[in-house]
Amino acid sequence: MTIEIAHIRQAQERIFPYVQPTPLRPSHALSERLQAKVSLKFETMTATGAFKLRGATNKLLNLPEDQRARGVITVSSGNHGRAVAYISKALGIRAVVCMPEIVPPEKVAGLRDFGAEIVIHGQNQDEADAEARRIGQRDGLLFVSPFDDADVIAGQGTIGLELLEVAPQLDTVLVQLSGGGLMSGVAKALKSIKPEIEVIGISSLHGAAMLESIRAGKIVTVEEEPTIADALPGPIPPDNRYTFAMCRELVDDHIQVSEDQIAEAMAYILHNEKCIVEGAGAAGVAALLNHPDRFKGKNVAAILTGDNIKVERALSIIAKAQSPRT
């Protein structure tokens, strides 16, 4: 299946009862600092606090009735698991979420609060993924990929539609890269409507599997390291169907950001936008703050992708960061 703008428009109509458009707000502080027109897309305002609800909702609403009756399974320690659990509960669908043993107890409790059945298995994401697929085959549960799925990608792409509906004059959009589900959908929507728009992928310096794969011209394995932006790293499976090809085709440029830059961006967002975001959610702002000349005079948007972080941890990271300057 080739993902087209029509699929994204269909997803926008399909998910609307469950996922309303999120605000795109001008950032006075960033605009003044960069001498540009900067807007921020607040995906923190969805019901689960992250953009992942869009893709999960589109996927589950598009399931045939017999599969809805059997249920779904996924692997996630964060926003994707929360999204699948939330929309499954709303639709009355059984949802199982597999997580590795290293996941903090509060994240496990959070998913249970959303109504998911939890399976703890393995030392890492790959082992949890393998267990999820095994259980899915055994119990007839559909595996819902966090990113490499046509319906999931189309759902995430609705962000791109909303950006240009509100700000058709945008020159540049910064999108977190990660496994490519968000980027594939948003870039497809943006480029389909406005081919000349510049789309920049934002990756961390740790475990940037998609970026390294694009550079290598093939899917590669990278070493994962602990990071405050834990939603950004992660492996790209060798059987990837969509996101690698779409990201390679649609992304115009790439920026990587460091741990310190992400922490400083989290502090900057709290002080200037009055919003707590997780590390990955601050990555686009980190790129803006550290490459001001790159965006001078442009009309640019960045996405605050999620707020799935304990307030205490966020404040601890922010306290250690350099004091922001407006």
Side-chain angles (χ1 to χ4, degrees), residues 69-188:
R70 290 192 294 270
V72 297
I73 191 166
T74 193
V75 57
S76 172
S77 59
N79 291 322
H80 176 67
R82 288 164 62 88
V84 171
Y86 176 88
I87 194 62
S88 293
K89 185 175 183 179
L91 298 176
I93 297 173
R94 179 191 177 194
V96 181
V97 180
C98 289
M99 294 185 285
E101 297 169 4
I102 59 173
V103 174
E106 65 269 13
K107 287 196 173 185
V108 178
L111 281 171
R112 284 205 175 100
D113 289 343
F114 277 117
E117 300 173 33
I118 306 299
V119 174
I120 306 296
H121 180 87
Q123 298 296 314
N124 54 48
Q125 193 85 343
D126 286 341
E127 292 179 3
D129 185 286
E131 179 68 2
R133 293 175 190 272
R134 187 191 69 79
I135 293 172
Q137 289 184 345
R138 183 193 69 191
D139 296 352
L141 304 174
L142 178 73
F143 181 80
V144 180
S145 170
F147 55 88
D148 193 37
D149 179 277
D151 289 328
V152 170
I153 292 168
Q156 320 304 27
T158 59
I159 294 173
L161 297 182
E162 290 176 18
L163 285 169
L164 290 181
E165 286 168 359
V166 175
Q169 69 279 15
L170 282 171
D171 301 315
T172 304
V173 178
L174 282 66
V175 185
Q176 288 83 335
L177 194 55
S178 190
L182 174 64
M183 173 58 86
S184 295
V186 172
K188 185 65 179 181

Side-chain angles (χ1 to χ4, degrees), residues 142-283:
L142 178 73
F143 181 80
V144 180
S145 170
F147 55 88
D148 193 37
D149 179 277
D151 289 328
V152 170
I153 292 168
Q156 320 304 27
T158 59
I159 294 173
L161 297 182
E162 290 176 18
L163 285 169
L164 290 181
E165 286 168 359
V166 175
Q169 69 279 15
L170 282 171
D171 301 315
T172 304
V173 178
L174 282 66
V175 185
Q176 288 83 335
L177 194 55
S178 190
L182 174 64
M183 173 58 86
S184 295
V186 172
K188 185 65 179 181
L190 294 173
K191 293 285 190 178
S192 297
I193 298 168
K194 190 174 182 179
E196 71 275 19
I197 199 167
E198 182 182 34
V199 180
I200 301 177
I202 310 301
S203 302
S204 71
L205 288 174
H206 299 289
M210 182 60 77
L211 175 56
E212 294 304 324
S213 295
I214 291 171
R215 287 171 171 169
K218 62 180 181 180
I219 294 174
V220 298
T221 300
V222 299
E223 183 178 352
E224 290 190 51
E225 302 176 40
T227 171
I228 60 173
D230 54 8
L232 284 183
I236 309 298
D239 61 350
N240 182 275
R241 296 175 295 168
Y242 300 104
T243 61
F244 173 63
M246 292 182 73
C247 289
R248 185 169 56 175
E249 174 192 354
L250 297 169
V251 181
D252 297 300
D253 198 3
H254 297 272
I255 295 175
Q256 287 183 275
V257 289
S258 69
E259 295 289 286
D260 287 345
Q261 289 170 346
I262 292 170
E264 289 167 4
M266 292 172 67
Y268 192 92
I269 293 165
L270 177 60
H271 284 267
N272 292 283
E273 309 299 337
K274 314 306 180 191
C275 178
I276 288 180
V277 297
E278 61 190 87

